[in-house]
Amino acid sequence: MSDIFEEVDESIRQDKIESLWKQYRPFVYVGAALLIGSVALNEFVLRPAAEKAKAARAMELETATTQLTEGDFADAEASLRALAEGNTSLAPLASNFLAQTLYEGSGDAAGAEAALTAAGSADGTPFERLALLKAAYAKADTISLEELETLLGSLKEDNSAMGALARELVAAKVYASGDIARARTEFNRLKFDAAAPEGVQRRAEIALAAIPTPVADDTAPESTPESTPAPADETEATEETGQ
């Protein structure tokens, strides 16, 4: 008897499953078709188009750098500016070349600084950090030490060659501001900085040899010896002894 009930239950379950399948089968087919279509669209349409656009931008950058090398600054500036203002991975690199084009082509130092500052980022890609470092070098003589350190941000603590160059720039600015003791400390750290290129370490040694060692402040007033009171006049009463 129990087998009969089990068979009935199984038959009911199968009927329910079949009913659900008939009800939702079109949605399953549509979902599968959309999935297959999206994969095909990505593989055969979107990805090839993106690769083609990327190759076109790379070719445009190569053409612009060739124009820069040949002295065709106007055309190079137009192409590089378009690439620098685009939201692509080539934008920071194009900004570095754009700054070079502006400075060499027309002596536009302010425009070069603006291009580098816009592209620079302490936590960005290597080309973004390079742009920030160049912008800091360009502005170092016209901004304060505090502004320079703020501009460099976390780059001056970065354990890399660019981080060492940022620390060298800060050390030079510290010396220019007159803080001899801190300048010697900064250059001494650079001398033993494992991340610093050989040239940075060599320049740190030269700076340490040239910067005088701070002398301790000996200008405190000298203590004067306590004056001892003059001995009182001794009045010796001499008595006539008759001798």
Side-chain angles (χ1 to χ4, degrees):
M1 184 66 70
S2 61
D3 294 339
I4 295 175
F5 287 114
E6 289 179 0
E7 290 178 3
V8 171
D9 290 340
E10 181 66 23
S11 176
I12 293 173
R13 282 195 295 269
Q14 290 178 358
D15 290 340
K16 287 183 178 180
I17 293 173
E18 184 176 357
S19 176
L20 290 172
W21 170 247
K22 289 180 179 179
Q23 182 178 357
Y24 294 105
R25 180 172 54 188
F27 298 102
V28 175
Y29 288 156
V30 170
L34 289 175
L35 178 61
I36 296 171
S38 62
V39 172
L41 179 65
N42 181 67
E43 289 295 326
F44 300 108
V45 179
L46 297 180
R47 180 177 293 181
E51 293 294 334
K52 184 177 180 180
K54 184 177 180 180
R57 289 193 298 268
M59 182 61 67
E60 187 176 355
L61 178 63
E62 183 178 355
T63 301
T65 55
T66 301
Q67 292 168 338
L68 172 60
T69 303
E70 295 175 351
D72 187 0
F73 298 110
D75 290 339
E77 179 184 347
S79 299
L80 290 169
R81 190 176 295 279
L83 289 169
E85 293 175 353
N87 188 22
T88 67
S89 59
L90 284 179
L93 178 58
S95 296
N96 280 276
F97 283 117
L98 176 59
Q100 180 183 350
T101 303
L102 292 170
Y103 188 76
E104 293 182 1
S106 58
D108 186 2
E113 289 180 12
L116 292 169
T117 303
S121 173
D123 301 317
T125 65
F127 290 121
E128 289 173 328
R129 295 200 299 272
L130 178 61
L132 177 62
L133 183 60
K134 288 181 178 179
Y137 268 94
K139 296 180 178 183
D141 292 335
T142 59
I143 60 178
S144 66
L145 173 60
E146 182 180 357
E147 290 171 330
L148 178 64
E149 291 182 311
T150 301
L151 175 63
L152 288 169
S154 61
L155 181 60
K156 61 184 182 295
E157 281 87 32
D158 193 55
N159 189 27
S160 65
M162 277 192 285
L165 288 168
R167 291 188 286 276
E168 181 185 31
L169 181 59
V170 170
K173 187 67 176 181
V174 169
Y175 176 68
S177 66
D179 192 344
I180 304 300
R182 183 186 169 188
R184 286 192 62 86
T185 300
E186 296 291 344
F187 280 116
N188 196 53
R189 289 174 179 169
L190 280 170
K191 179 180 176 181
F192 299 101
D193 192 339
E198 184 178 350
V200 172
Q201 293 177 333
R202 190 182 310 115
R203 289 193 296 271
E205 291 179 359
I206 294 173
L208 287 170
I211 298 174
T213 304
V215 180
D217 188 6
D218 295 333
T219 59
E222 296 181 359
S223 59
T224 55
E226 297 181 359
S227 56
T228 56
D233 294 338
E234 295 182 359
T235 56
E236 296 181 355
T238 57
E239 297 180 354
E240 292 183 357
T241 56
Q243 295 178 353

